[in-house]
Amino acid sequence: EHRLGPVRSLDEQAPGAPRGTSLLDLLPDPAPGPATRLAGHHLLDQLQAALAELPDADRVLLLALADGASQRRLAATGGVHHATIERRARRARRRLLELLPPDAADEIKGLLS
């Protein structure tokens, strides 16, 4: 027979915390602060500007991939070998990163893989 310890509700007194502090009070605020939101908007503006400078085919390919399309599906739809889509996607990502300021490119790199 297994026994569980006492189950606490989230509004119950948090152990070791000052009186009147609930477990909810100890959780970090999930909402980003104003500085984080502003930085996110600035990054989005930079990304949109860079995407606008790409050739249409590169922009459409990157947006389709970002929307969840697979390279194989895009290849089948376009009637080309999937390796062709892989090469085009790699080239489009490289072009996009070259158009972004270095700090923005560093943040975006992880999202493009």
Side-chain angles (χ1 to χ4, degrees), residues 34-69:
T36 303
R37 285 195 308 271
L38 183 60
H41 287 297
H42 184 64
L43 182 61
L44 182 59
D45 290 344
Q46 291 173 319
L47 180 58
Q48 288 175 331
L51 281 167
E53 290 185 44
L54 286 175
D56 289 344
D58 288 351
R59 182 176 46 258
V60 168
L61 176 59
L62 289 179
L63 292 174
L65 291 170
D67 200 33

PDB file of all heavy atoms in Angstrom, residues 34-69:
ATOM      1  N   PRO A  34       7.538  44.495 -19.617  1.00  0.00           N
ATOM      2  CA  PRO A  34       7.526  45.462 -20.727  1.00  0.00           C
ATOM      3  C   PRO A  34       8.800  45.435 -21.563  1.00  0.00           C
ATOM      4  O   PRO A  34       8.734  45.523 -22.789  1.00  0.00           O
ATOM      5  CB  PRO A  34       7.369  46.812 -20.029  1.00  0.00           C
ATOM      6  CG  PRO A  34       6.877  46.516 -18.667  1.00  0.00           C
ATOM      7  CD  PRO A  34       7.298  45.125 -18.337  1.00  0.00           C
ATOM      8  N   ALA A  35       9.956  45.297 -20.932  1.00  0.00           N
ATOM      9  CA  ALA A  35      11.219  45.287 -21.693  1.00  0.00           C
ATOM     10  C   ALA A  35      11.289  44.068 -22.605  1.00  0.00           C
ATOM     11  O   ALA A  35      11.717  44.159 -23.762  1.00  0.00           O
ATOM     12  CB  ALA A  35      12.410  45.312 -20.744  1.00  0.00           C
ATOM     13  N   THR A  36      10.840  42.916 -22.107  1.00  0.00           N
ATOM     14  CA  THR A  36      10.856  41.699 -22.912  1.00  0.00           C
ATOM     15  C   THR A  36       9.890  41.816 -24.087  1.00  0.00           C
ATOM     16  O   THR A  36      10.205  41.427 -25.207  1.00  0.00           O
ATOM     17  CB  THR A  36      10.482  40.485 -22.043  1.00  0.00           C
ATOM     18  OG1 THR A  36      11.397  40.415 -20.946  1.00  0.00           O
ATOM     19  CG2 THR A  36      10.541  39.191 -22.829  1.00  0.00           C
ATOM     20  N   ARG A  37       8.704  42.381 -23.813  1.00  0.00           N
ATOM     21  CA  ARG A  37       7.727  42.553 -24.898  1.00  0.00           C
ATOM     22  C   ARG A  37       8.249  43.519 -25.957  1.00  0.00           C
ATOM     23  O   ARG A  37       8.110  43.288 -27.155  1.00  0.00           O
ATOM     24  CB  ARG A  37       6.395  43.033 -24.335  1.00  0.00           C
ATOM     25  CG  ARG A  37       5.610  41.948 -23.619  1.00  0.00           C
ATOM     26  CD  ARG A  37       4.161  42.338 -23.387  1.00  0.00           C
ATOM     27  NE  ARG A  37       3.994  43.618 -22.748  1.00  0.00           N
ATOM     28  CZ  ARG A  37       3.949  43.831 -21.440  1.00  0.00           C
ATOM     29  NH1 ARG A  37       4.074  42.833 -20.611  1.00  0.00           N
ATOM     30  NH2 ARG A  37       3.776  45.053 -20.950  1.00  0.00           N
ATOM     31  N   LEU A  38       8.878  44.607 -25.521  1.00  0.00           N
ATOM     32  CA  LEU A  38       9.419  45.588 -26.457  1.00  0.00           C
ATOM     33  C   LEU A  38      10.529  44.973 -27.310  1.00  0.00           C
ATOM     34  O   LEU A  38      10.566  45.155 -28.526  1.00  0.00           O
ATOM     35  CB  LEU A  38       9.948  46.814 -25.704  1.00  0.00           C
ATOM     36  CG  LEU A  38      10.483  47.951 -26.563  1.00  0.00           C
ATOM     37  CD1 LEU A  38       9.392  48.480 -27.484  1.00  0.00           C
ATOM     38  CD2 LEU A  38      11.007  49.070 -25.679  1.00  0.00           C
ATOM     39  N   ALA A  39      11.416  44.207 -26.673  1.00  0.00           N
ATOM     40  CA  ALA A  39      12.497  43.549 -27.415  1.00  0.00           C
ATOM     41  C   ALA A  39      11.921  42.558 -28.420  1.00  0.00           C
ATOM     42  O   ALA A  39      12.407  42.444 -29.545  1.00  0.00           O
ATOM     43  CB  ALA A  39      13.449  42.839 -26.447  1.00  0.00           C
ATOM     44  N   GLY A  40      10.866  41.849 -28.035  1.00  0.00           N
ATOM     45  CA  GLY A  40      10.222  40.902 -28.949  1.00  0.00           C
ATOM     46  C   GLY A  40       9.612  41.599 -30.149  1.00  0.00           C
ATOM     47  O   GLY A  40       9.707  41.119 -31.279  1.00  0.00           O
ATOM     48  N   HIS A  41       8.990  42.753 -29.910  1.00  0.00           N
ATOM     49  CA  HIS A  41       8.408  43.516 -31.023  1.00  0.00           C
ATOM     50  C   HIS A  41       9.508  44.029 -31.956  1.00  0.00           C
ATOM     51  O   HIS A  41       9.346  44.017 -33.176  1.00  0.00           O
ATOM     52  CB  HIS A  41       7.583  44.697 -30.504  1.00  0.00           C
ATOM     53  CG  HIS A  41       6.283  44.292 -29.895  1.00  0.00           C
ATOM     54  ND1 HIS A  41       5.289  43.670 -30.604  1.00  0.00           N
ATOM     55  CD2 HIS A  41       5.806  44.407 -28.624  1.00  0.00           C
ATOM     56  CE1 HIS A  41       4.260  43.426 -29.821  1.00  0.00           C
ATOM     57  NE2 HIS A  41       4.556  43.854 -28.612  1.00  0.00           N
ATOM     58  N   HIS A  42      10.605  44.474 -31.381  1.00  0.00           N
ATOM     59  CA  HIS A  42      11.718  44.981 -32.193  1.00  0.00           C
ATOM     60  C   HIS A  42      12.300  43.854 -33.051  1.00  0.00           C
ATOM     61  O   HIS A  42      12.564  44.048 -34.242  1.00  0.00           O
ATOM     62  CB  HIS A  42      12.798  45.582 -31.282  1.00  0.00           C
ATOM     63  CG  HIS A  42      13.929  46.201 -32.018  1.00  0.00           C
ATOM     64  ND1 HIS A  42      13.770  47.301 -32.844  1.00  0.00           N
ATOM     65  CD2 HIS A  42      15.242  45.881 -32.071  1.00  0.00           C
ATOM     66  CE1 HIS A  42      14.929  47.615 -33.378  1.00  0.00           C
ATOM     67  NE2 HIS A  42      15.848  46.771 -32.923  1.00  0.00           N
ATOM     68  N   LEU A  43      12.470  42.681 -32.459  1.00  0.00           N
ATOM     69  CA  LEU A  43      12.981  41.525 -33.207  1.00  0.00           C
ATOM     70  C   LEU A  43      12.015  41.144 -34.322  1.00  0.00           C
ATOM     71  O   LEU A  43      12.431  40.864 -35.450  1.00  0.00           O
ATOM     72  CB  LEU A  43      13.212  40.353 -32.254  1.00  0.00           C
ATOM     73  CG  LEU A  43      13.782  39.083 -32.865  1.00  0.00           C
ATOM     74  CD1 LEU A  43      15.160  39.344 -33.476  1.00  0.00           C
ATOM     75  CD2 LEU A  43      13.869  37.990 -31.818  1.00  0.00           C
ATOM     76  N   LEU A  44      10.729  41.166 -34.031  1.00  0.00           N
ATOM     77  CA  LEU A  44       9.727  40.842 -35.045  1.00  0.00           C
ATOM     78  C   LEU A  44       9.774  41.853 -36.195  1.00  0.00           C
ATOM     79  O   LEU A  44       9.704  41.476 -37.362  1.00  0.00           O
ATOM     80  CB  LEU A  44       8.332  40.804 -34.425  1.00  0.00           C
ATOM     81  CG  LEU A  44       7.187  40.437 -35.352  1.00  0.00           C
ATOM     82  CD1 LEU A  44       7.398  39.070 -35.978  1.00  0.00           C
ATOM     83  CD2 LEU A  44       5.871  40.471 -34.590  1.00  0.00           C
ATOM     84  N   ASP A  45       9.927  43.132 -35.862  1.00  0.00           N
ATOM     85  CA  ASP A  45      10.044  44.164 -36.905  1.00  0.00           C
ATOM     86  C   ASP A  45      11.262  43.915 -37.789  1.00  0.00           C
ATOM     87  O   ASP A  45      11.186  44.029 -39.016  1.00  0.00           O
ATOM     88  CB  ASP A  45      10.149  45.560 -36.279  1.00  0.00           C
ATOM     89  CG  ASP A  45       8.850  46.017 -35.632  1.00  0.00           C
ATOM     90  OD1 ASP A  45       7.791  45.417 -35.912  1.00  0.00           O
ATOM     91  OD2 ASP A  45       8.910  46.962 -34.826  1.00  0.00           O
ATOM     92  N   GLN A  46      12.393  43.553 -37.168  1.00  0.00           N
ATOM     93  CA  GLN A  46      13.610  43.280 -37.934  1.00  0.00           C
ATOM     94  C   GLN A  46      13.419  42.059 -38.825  1.00  0.00           C
ATOM     95  O   GLN A  46      13.850  42.048 -39.986  1.00  0.00           O
ATOM     96  CB  GLN A  46      14.791  43.059 -36.988  1.00  0.00           C
ATOM     97  CG  GLN A  46      15.228  44.308 -36.266  1.00  0.00           C
ATOM     98  CD  GLN A  46      16.294  44.021 -35.218  1.00  0.00           C
ATOM     99  OE1 GLN A  46      16.237  43.030 -34.497  1.00  0.00           O
ATOM    100  NE2 GLN A  46      17.276  44.913 -35.140  1.00  0.00           N
ATOM    101  N   LEU A  47      12.769  41.032 -38.297  1.00  0.00           N
ATOM    102  CA  LEU A  47      12.529  39.814 -39.068  1.00  0.00           C
ATOM    103  C   LEU A  47      11.612  40.092 -40.249  1.00  0.00           C
ATOM    104  O   LEU A  47      11.873  39.653 -41.373  1.00  0.00           O
ATOM    105  CB  LEU A  47      11.936  38.730 -38.165  1.00  0.00           C
ATOM    106  CG  LEU A  47      11.634  37.390 -38.811  1.00  0.00           C
ATOM    107  CD1 LEU A  47      12.872  36.784 -39.442  1.00  0.00           C
ATOM    108  CD2 LEU A  47      11.038  36.441 -37.782  1.00  0.00           C
ATOM    109  N   GLN A  48      10.549  40.847 -40.022  1.00  0.00           N
ATOM    110  CA  GLN A  48       9.632  41.180 -41.116  1.00  0.00           C
ATOM    111  C   GLN A  48      10.323  41.998 -42.198  1.00  0.00           C
ATOM    112  O   GLN A  48      10.099  41.774 -43.388  1.00  0.00           O
ATOM    113  CB  GLN A  48       8.413  41.924 -40.571  1.00  0.00           C
ATOM    114  CG  GLN A  48       7.486  41.028 -39.793  1.00  0.00           C
ATOM    115  CD  GLN A  48       6.339  41.781 -39.155  1.00  0.00           C
ATOM    116  OE1 GLN A  48       6.457  42.954 -38.825  1.00  0.00           O
ATOM    117  NE2 GLN A  48       5.226  41.095 -38.965  1.00  0.00           N
ATOM    118  N   ALA A  49      11.179  42.928 -41.794  1.00  0.00           N
ATOM    119  CA  ALA A  49      11.906  43.745 -42.772  1.00  0.00           C
ATOM    120  C   ALA A  49      12.848  42.876 -43.596  1.00  0.00           C
ATOM    121  O   ALA A  49      12.952  43.033 -44.819  1.00  0.00           O
ATOM    122  CB  ALA A  49      12.677  44.855 -42.061  1.00  0.00           C
ATOM    123  N   ALA A  50      13.540  41.951 -42.938  1.00  0.00           N
ATOM    124  CA  ALA A  50      14.467  41.070 -43.657  1.00  0.00           C
ATOM    125  C   ALA A  50      13.706  40.136 -44.596  1.00  0.00           C
ATOM    126  O   ALA A  50      14.120  39.920 -45.740  1.00  0.00           O
ATOM    127  CB  ALA A  50      15.310  40.265 -42.661  1.00  0.00           C
ATOM    128  N   LEU A  51      12.588  39.589 -44.143  1.00  0.00           N
ATOM    129  CA  LEU A  51      11.785  38.723 -45.004  1.00  0.00           C
ATOM    130  C   LEU A  51      11.298  39.471 -46.240  1.00  0.00           C
ATOM    131  O   LEU A  51      11.262  38.920 -47.340  1.00  0.00           O
ATOM    132  CB  LEU A  51      10.583  38.167 -44.233  1.00  0.00           C
ATOM    133  CG  LEU A  51      10.856  36.997 -43.298  1.00  0.00           C
ATOM    134  CD1 LEU A  51       9.672  36.756 -42.382  1.00  0.00           C
ATOM    135  CD2 LEU A  51      11.204  35.743 -44.087  1.00  0.00           C
ATOM    136  N   ALA A  52      10.952  40.732 -46.072  1.00  0.00           N
ATOM    137  CA  ALA A  52      10.462  41.539 -47.195  1.00  0.00           C
ATOM    138  C   ALA A  52      11.545  41.755 -48.251  1.00  0.00           C
ATOM    139  O   ALA A  52      11.232  41.955 -49.423  1.00  0.00           O
ATOM    140  CB  ALA A  52       9.933  42.880 -46.689  1.00  0.00           C
ATOM    141  N   GLU A  53      12.805  41.709 -47.842  1.00  0.00           N
ATOM    142  CA  GLU A  53      13.907  41.908 -48.788  1.00  0.00           C
ATOM    143  C   GLU A  53      14.291  40.633 -49.541  1.00  0.00           C
ATOM    144  O   GLU A  53      15.010  40.693 -50.531  1.00  0.00           O
ATOM    145  CB  GLU A  53      15.140  42.446 -48.044  1.00  0.00           C
ATOM    146  CG  GLU A  53      14.968  43.866 -47.559  1.00  0.00           C
ATOM    147  CD  GLU A  53      16.239  44.421 -46.943  1.00  0.00           C
ATOM    148  OE1 GLU A  53      17.324  44.210 -47.534  1.00  0.00           O
ATOM    149  OE2 GLU A  53      16.143  45.037 -45.872  1.00  0.00           O
ATOM    150  N   LEU A  54      13.828  39.489 -49.072  1.00  0.00           N
ATOM    151  CA  LEU A  54      14.155  38.227 -49.742  1.00  0.00           C
ATOM    152  C   LEU A  54      13.398  38.111 -51.063  1.00  0.00           C
ATOM    153  O   LEU A  54      12.294  38.658 -51.199  1.00  0.00           O
ATOM    154  CB  LEU A  54      13.754  37.040 -48.864  1.00  0.00           C
ATOM    155  CG  LEU A  54      14.601  36.729 -47.647  1.00  0.00           C
ATOM    156  CD1 LEU A  54      13.960  35.598 -46.845  1.00  0.00           C
ATOM    157  CD2 LEU A  54      16.019  36.375 -48.033  1.00  0.00           C
ATOM    158  N   PRO A  55      13.954  37.360 -52.003  1.00  0.00           N
ATOM    159  CA  PRO A  55      13.182  37.041 -53.209  1.00  0.00           C
ATOM    160  C   PRO A  55      11.894  36.304 -52.806  1.00  0.00           C
ATOM    161  O   PRO A  55      11.867  35.588 -51.797  1.00  0.00           O
ATOM    162  CB  PRO A  55      14.115  36.114 -54.002  1.00  0.00           C
ATOM    163  CG  PRO A  55      15.484  36.403 -53.476  1.00  0.00           C
ATOM    164  CD  PRO A  55      15.309  36.798 -52.047  1.00  0.00           C
ATOM    165  N   ASP A  56      10.847  36.480 -53.586  1.00  0.00           N
ATOM    166  CA  ASP A  56       9.548  35.872 -53.259  1.00  0.00           C
ATOM    167  C   ASP A  56       9.654  34.375 -52.987  1.00  0.00           C
ATOM    168  O   ASP A  56       9.064  33.874 -52.032  1.00  0.00           O
ATOM    169  CB  ASP A  56       8.538  36.112 -54.383  1.00  0.00           C
ATOM    170  CG  ASP A  56       8.098  37.564 -54.468  1.00  0.00           C
ATOM    171  OD1 ASP A  56       8.327  38.319 -53.496  1.00  0.00           O
ATOM    172  OD2 ASP A  56       7.524  37.944 -55.508  1.00  0.00           O
ATOM    173  N   ALA A  57      10.381  33.655 -53.828  1.00  0.00           N
ATOM    174  CA  ALA A  57      10.479  32.199 -53.670  1.00  0.00           C
ATOM    175  C   ALA A  57      11.102  31.829 -52.327  1.00  0.00           C
ATOM    176  O   ALA A  57      10.638  30.890 -51.665  1.00  0.00           O
ATOM    177  CB  ALA A  57      11.291  31.600 -54.817  1.00  0.00           C
ATOM    178  N   ASP A  58      12.134  32.560 -51.906  1.00  0.00           N
ATOM    179  CA  ASP A  58      12.775  32.284 -50.611  1.00  0.00           C
ATOM    180  C   ASP A  58      11.821  32.583 -49.461  1.00  0.00           C
ATOM    181  O   ASP A  58      11.711  31.814 -48.507  1.00  0.00           O
ATOM    182  CB  ASP A  58      14.043  33.120 -50.441  1.00  0.00           C
ATOM    183  CG  ASP A  58      15.191  32.649 -51.322  1.00  0.00           C
ATOM    184  OD1 ASP A  58      15.062  31.574 -51.947  1.00  0.00           O
ATOM    185  OD2 ASP A  58      16.206  33.363 -51.383  1.00  0.00           O
ATOM    186  N   ARG A  59      11.126  33.719 -49.553  1.00  0.00           N
ATOM    187  CA  ARG A  59      10.205  34.113 -48.492  1.00  0.00           C
ATOM    188  C   ARG A  59       9.073  33.097 -48.357  1.00  0.00           C
ATOM    189  O   ARG A  59       8.747  32.647 -47.258  1.00  0.00           O
ATOM    190  CB  ARG A  59       9.641  35.507 -48.765  1.00  0.00           C
ATOM    191  CG  ARG A  59       8.709  36.012 -47.681  1.00  0.00           C
ATOM    192  CD  ARG A  59       8.216  37.438 -47.879  1.00  0.00           C
ATOM    193  NE  ARG A  59       7.765  37.745 -49.229  1.00  0.00           N
ATOM    194  CZ  ARG A  59       8.475  38.420 -50.130  1.00  0.00           C
ATOM    195  NH1 ARG A  59       9.672  38.890 -49.852  1.00  0.00           N
ATOM    196  NH2 ARG A  59       7.982  38.650 -51.330  1.00  0.00           N
ATOM    197  N   VAL A  60       8.490  32.688 -49.478  1.00  0.00           N
ATOM    198  CA  VAL A  60       7.389  31.728 -49.454  1.00  0.00           C
ATOM    199  C   VAL A  60       7.863  30.400 -48.875  1.00  0.00           C
ATOM    200  O   VAL A  60       7.175  29.784 -48.050  1.00  0.00           O
ATOM    201  CB  VAL A  60       6.793  31.548 -50.868  1.00  0.00           C
ATOM    202  CG1 VAL A  60       5.851  30.356 -50.928  1.00  0.00           C
ATOM    203  CG2 VAL A  60       6.083  32.821 -51.299  1.00  0.00           C
ATOM    204  N   LEU A  61       9.044  29.958 -49.262  1.00  0.00           N
ATOM    205  CA  LEU A  61       9.587  28.697 -48.759  1.00  0.00           C
ATOM    206  C   LEU A  61       9.798  28.761 -47.243  1.00  0.00           C
ATOM    207  O   LEU A  61       9.361  27.872 -46.505  1.00  0.00           O
ATOM    208  CB  LEU A  61      10.904  28.361 -49.465  1.00  0.00           C
ATOM    209  CG  LEU A  61      11.639  27.117 -48.959  1.00  0.00           C
ATOM    210  CD1 LEU A  61      10.783  25.870 -49.079  1.00  0.00           C
ATOM    211  CD2 LEU A  61      12.947  26.947 -49.718  1.00  0.00           C
ATOM    212  N   LEU A  62      10.428  29.816 -46.759  1.00  0.00           N
ATOM    213  CA  LEU A  62      10.679  29.935 -45.319  1.00  0.00           C
ATOM    214  C   LEU A  62       9.377  30.035 -44.531  1.00  0.00           C
ATOM    215  O   LEU A  62       9.246  29.429 -43.457  1.00  0.00           O
ATOM    216  CB  LEU A  62      11.567  31.143 -45.024  1.00  0.00           C
ATOM    217  CG  LEU A  62      13.031  31.008 -45.448  1.00  0.00           C
ATOM    218  CD1 LEU A  62      13.789  32.289 -45.128  1.00  0.00           C
ATOM    219  CD2 LEU A  62      13.690  29.808 -44.778  1.00  0.00           C
ATOM    220  N   LEU A  63       8.409  30.772 -45.045  1.00  0.00           N
ATOM    221  CA  LEU A  63       7.133  30.898 -44.340  1.00  0.00           C
ATOM    222  C   LEU A  63       6.364  29.579 -44.339  1.00  0.00           C
ATOM    223  O   LEU A  63       5.727  29.229 -43.341  1.00  0.00           O
ATOM    224  CB  LEU A  63       6.297  32.028 -44.938  1.00  0.00           C
ATOM    225  CG  LEU A  63       6.858  33.430 -44.704  1.00  0.00           C
ATOM    226  CD1 LEU A  63       6.029  34.471 -45.462  1.00  0.00           C
ATOM    227  CD2 LEU A  63       6.933  33.766 -43.231  1.00  0.00           C
ATOM    228  N   ALA A  64       6.433  28.829 -45.435  1.00  0.00           N
ATOM    229  CA  ALA A  64       5.774  27.511 -45.484  1.00  0.00           C
ATOM    230  C   ALA A  64       6.410  26.565 -44.474  1.00  0.00           C
ATOM    231  O   ALA A  64       5.711  25.843 -43.753  1.00  0.00           O
ATOM    232  CB  ALA A  64       5.852  26.938 -46.895  1.00  0.00           C
ATOM    233  N   LEU A  65       7.735  26.567 -44.400  1.00  0.00           N
ATOM    234  CA  LEU A  65       8.429  25.709 -43.432  1.00  0.00           C
ATOM    235  C   LEU A  65       8.117  26.143 -42.003  1.00  0.00           C
ATOM    236  O   LEU A  65       7.897  25.305 -41.121  1.00  0.00           O
ATOM    237  CB  LEU A  65       9.940  25.725 -43.685  1.00  0.00           C
ATOM    238  CG  LEU A  65      10.389  25.046 -44.982  1.00  0.00           C
ATOM    239  CD1 LEU A  65      11.859  25.336 -45.258  1.00  0.00           C
ATOM    240  CD2 LEU A  65      10.122  23.548 -44.916  1.00  0.00           C
ATOM    241  N   ALA A  66       8.070  27.449 -41.764  1.00  0.00           N
ATOM    242  CA  ALA A  66       7.749  27.956 -40.431  1.00  0.00           C
ATOM    243  C   ALA A  66       6.316  27.590 -40.040  1.00  0.00           C
ATOM    244  O   ALA A  66       6.016  27.421 -38.860  1.00  0.00           O
ATOM    245  CB  ALA A  66       7.943  29.465 -40.379  1.00  0.00           C
ATOM    246  N   ASP A  67       5.464  27.443 -41.040  1.00  0.00           N
ATOM    247  CA  ASP A  67       4.066  27.092 -40.786  1.00  0.00           C
ATOM    248  C   ASP A  67       3.885  25.585 -40.603  1.00  0.00           C
ATOM    249  O   ASP A  67       2.772  25.126 -40.386  1.00  0.00           O
ATOM    250  CB  ASP A  67       3.207  27.598 -41.944  1.00  0.00           C
ATOM    251  CG  ASP A  67       1.746  27.712 -41.566  1.00  0.00           C
ATOM    252  OD1 ASP A  67       1.448  28.012 -40.402  1.00  0.00           O
ATOM    253  OD2 ASP A  67       0.896  27.481 -42.453  1.00  0.00           O
ATOM    254  N   GLY A  68       4.969  24.824 -40.699  1.00  0.00           N
ATOM    255  CA  GLY A  68       4.892  23.395 -40.421  1.00  0.00           C
ATOM    256  C   GLY A  68       4.924  22.484 -41.631  1.00  0.00           C
ATOM    257  O   GLY A  68       4.841  21.265 -41.488  1.00  0.00           O
ATOM    258  N   ALA A  69       5.037  23.046 -42.832  1.00  0.00           N
ATOM    259  CA  ALA A  69       5.114  22.194 -44.017  1.00  0.00           C
ATOM    260  C   ALA A  69       6.436  21.434 -44.006  1.00  0.00           C
ATOM    261  O   ALA A  69       7.464  21.977 -43.630  1.00  0.00           O
ATOM    262  CB  ALA A  69       5.006  23.039 -45.280  1.00  0.00           C
TER     263      ALA A  69
END
